Structure formats: C-alpha cells, structure tokens
C-alpha cells in the first residue's frame, strides 16, 4: 500500500519509513529534501497521488509561538486539503502529551495542528506521545552558551523507534480519533538525561543547570494522564545502543 510520510526524514519519520518498508508497504516521503514543501504546497499533489494513508511527523524546530503556529497552521491546512483531494482515507498525526496543560509557544502550534486535523474532511487519528529519548539531544542543540539551562521536573521519555512502530500500527488499523497517550517505561529528568548523553559523547560537554520553568513544564505537565500504551526501551538501554 502506498503510504505518505510527511517529515519522513526526521528523527521519528525515518523510523516510520523503515517500519512501513519492513511491513511490505510503499512509503513516500514528503519533505523539502525530497521536493515537497508543506508550506508552499509545491509537489504535494503529485506525491500524494495513489496514497491511501498519510502519516504526519513533520516539524519545525523553534521555541517561538508565532513561528510554530505559522508552520503547523499552514503545513497542516495544505496537507489536510491535499489529502482530501487525493482521496486519502486516513490521516495520522503525531502530537505531544501535555500540549493542553503546558504553556509553551511551540505547543500552541501543536494545538493548532490538532485543531486542523480534527476539522478536516479526512478521517483521522491523533497520537500524543511523550518526549523521545532523542529529545535531550534535540533540546541541547537549541541551548547556546557555556552552561545548559534545562527545565527541571520529570518526563517519561520513549524511544522514537517505538513511537514509529506504534504510529504505523495505528495507521494500518484505521481512523481512531484521539488514540490513548503513548509514554516510555519510566520517569526521567531531562537534566539527568542531558548529563548522561554528554558523558556518553552524544552532546558537547558542559555544566547542566535544571531551572524551574513556569507554565507546567517543570511540574508534571509532560507526563501521561492515563494508563495508555508504554514503550519498553529505557533511556539507559537506548543510550547503550548509540555509537557517538
Ligand atoms: N522530539 C520529540 O521529543 C517529540 C515528542 C513527541 C512528538 N513529537 C512530534 O513528532 C513530530 C516529528 O518530530 P521530529 O523531532 O522527528 O522532527 P524533525 O527531526 O525535526 O524532522 C522534521 C521533518 O519535517 C520535515 N519538514 C520540515 N519543514 C518542512 C516543510 N516545509 N515541508 C516538508 N517537510 C518539512 C523535515 O524535512 P526537510 O527539512 O527536508 O523538509 C523533516 O523530515 C513533530 O510534530 C513533533 O511535534 C516530537
């Protein structure tokens, strides 16, 4: 089956593509590097021709509310409308646990993306997952300076590969609207993950200073609220597999 993966070259997207291929499907990547721009819409209709399912794991890296809302609004509308024109029967979008509880500019963009999916004509599933194990590195790369200031508090991170497996299962299973939240196997602190990542050679070594972030990030907002599905790979096991 032809399945389009918006953001199929990203941290989770490449696992979605690999998983689809391993299950005998024909993934088509929608990304600027592959000639499809979700913001301008260029290349979108041609890439979606014959696609039955779209998995959206596209992203913009920003902490700016206006940039995040601008991206997820425009990209979300273009993708939703192009999917309808192509006769896609299922749109699956990856979102984040806690976006409705934690006040972050980026999360406002994710809320807009969810609204567009829910209002669109294509039957949909939204999966909210917790931060990936990869998130510590993604976060650190956006923090300049000699000291890394990171939000204090705990999360329940999950391996991006396991998120991808779960998304593919949902995609093939048919539209389910809001899927139960997916989280990792255990609680971790982002500051501790960052220190362990640095010690393993996966990020530039510098002191890590956990700071209280108002708005929920440091006070349990990123944690799942229900007993949904759980990944099995711990951050420690994920780290052992890396060859930095
Ligand atoms: N990171 C986390 O911890 C986490 C946790 C839960 C959920 N999520 C969600 O998972 C999704 C994927 O995150 P990620 O960290 O895997 O993303 P990522 O590594 O930043 O990858 C982003 C992808 O989007 C594509 N892209 C960006 N702008 C585009 C455009 N204008 N047109 C077409 N493609 C575009 C990129 O390809 P090109 O650059 O080639 O265009 C790339 O394939 C996001 O929606 C995020 O909110 C992330």
């Amino acid at each position: 089956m032809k399945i389009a993966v918006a953001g199929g070259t990203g941290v989770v997207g490449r696992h979605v593509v690999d998983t689809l291929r391993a299950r005998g499907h024909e993934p088509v990547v929608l990304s600027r590097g592959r000639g499809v721009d979700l913001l301008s819409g260029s290349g979108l209709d041609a890439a979606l021709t014959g696609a039955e399912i779209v998995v959206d794991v596209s992203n913009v890296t920003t902490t700016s509310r206006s940039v995040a809302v601008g991206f997820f609004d425009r990209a979300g509308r273009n993708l939703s409308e192009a999917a309808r024109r192509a006769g896609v029967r299922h749109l699956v979008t990856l979102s984040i646990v806690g976006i409705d509880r934690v006040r972050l500019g980026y999360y406002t963009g994710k809320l807009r993306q969810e609204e567009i999916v829910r209002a669109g004509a294509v039957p949909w599933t939204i999966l909210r997952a917790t931060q990936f194990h990869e998130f510590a590195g993604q976060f650190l790369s956006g923090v300049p300076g000699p000291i890394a200031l990171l939000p204090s508090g705990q999360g329940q991170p999950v391996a991006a590969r396991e998120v991808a497996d779960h998304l593919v299962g949902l995609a093939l299973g048919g539209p389910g609207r809001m899927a139960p939240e997916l989280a990792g196997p255990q609680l971790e602190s982002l500051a501790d993950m960052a220190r362990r990542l640095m010690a393993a050679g996966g990020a530039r070594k510098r002191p890590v200073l956990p700071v209280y972030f108002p708005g929920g990030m440091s006070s349990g907002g990123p944690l799942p609220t229900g007993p949904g599905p759980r990944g099995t790979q711990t951050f420690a096991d994920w780290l052992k597999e890396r060859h930095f």
Side-chain angles (χ1 to χ4, degrees), residues 2-3 5 15-16 57 65 72 82 84 87 91 94 153 157 159 169 173 224:
K2 181 170 167 179
I3 300 175
V5 185
H15 292 295
V16 172
V57 284
R65 181 181 311 263
F72 285 113
R84 179 190 53 76
L91 170 62
L94 181 59

Side-chain angles (χ1 to χ4, degrees), residues 9-12 32-33 37-38 57-59 94 106 110 132 138:
T9 56
V11 169
V12 70
R32 289 166 300 179
D37 190 338
L38 294 170
V57 284
S58 63
N59 189 35
L94 181 59
Y106 176 79
K110 294 297 292 181
F132 307 152
Q138 290 180 304

Side-chain angles (χ1 to χ4, degrees), residues 20-206:
L20 286 170
R21 219 169 257 137
R23 294 199 192 182
H25 296 288
E26 185 197 338
V28 175
V29 171
L30 314 179
S31 74
R32 289 166 300 179
R34 304 291 173 87
V36 179
D37 190 338
L38 294 170
L39 290 176
S40 68
S42 85
L44 202 42
D45 285 326
L48 287 185
T49 302
E52 293 187 40
I53 299 171
V54 173
V55 179
D56 184 7
V57 284
S58 63
N59 189 35
V60 63
T61 303
T62 185
T63 54
S64 153
R65 181 181 311 263
S66 62
V67 172
V69 172
F71 176 85
F72 285 113
D73 184 87
R74 172 59 54 198
R77 283 180 202 284
N78 283 342
L79 187 60
S80 171
E81 284 162 22
R84 179 190 53 76
R85 285 195 296 276
V88 166
R89 61 179 170 82
H90 189 192
L91 170 62
V92 182
T93 300
L94 181 59
S95 190
I96 307 178
V97 167
I99 57 170
D100 46 356
R101 295 187 299 275
V102 178
R103 288 196 306 281
L104 282 183
Y106 176 79
Y107 283 5
T108 311
K110 294 297 292 181
L111 285 169
R112 177 68 62 84
Q113 180 189 37
E114 286 194 358
E115 277 168 29
I116 290 166
V117 170
R118 283 193 279 265
V122 179
W124 53 273
T125 301
I126 292 173
L127 173 66
R128 288 183 177 177
T130 53
Q131 272 75 33
F132 307 152
H133 292 329
E134 289 82 349
F135 180 69
Q138 290 180 304
F139 197 99
L140 281 172
S141 63
V143 177
I147 298 176
L149 300 178
L150 300 187
S152 61
Q154 289 191 306
Q156 199 167 324
V158 61
R161 185 180 47 74
E162 292 186 314
V163 175
D165 281 352
H166 196 72
L167 269 177
V168 168
L170 292 171
L172 299 174
R177 301 173 77 85
M178 294 304 293
E181 294 174 344
L182 174 65
Q186 62 188 39
L187 298 176
E188 304 277 0
S189 97
L190 186 59
D192 189 45
M193 290 165 71
R195 289 190 191 103
R196 288 151 74 195
L197 185 69
M198 288 177 191
R204 176 166 64 91
K205 286 194 175 62
R206 50 188 162 149

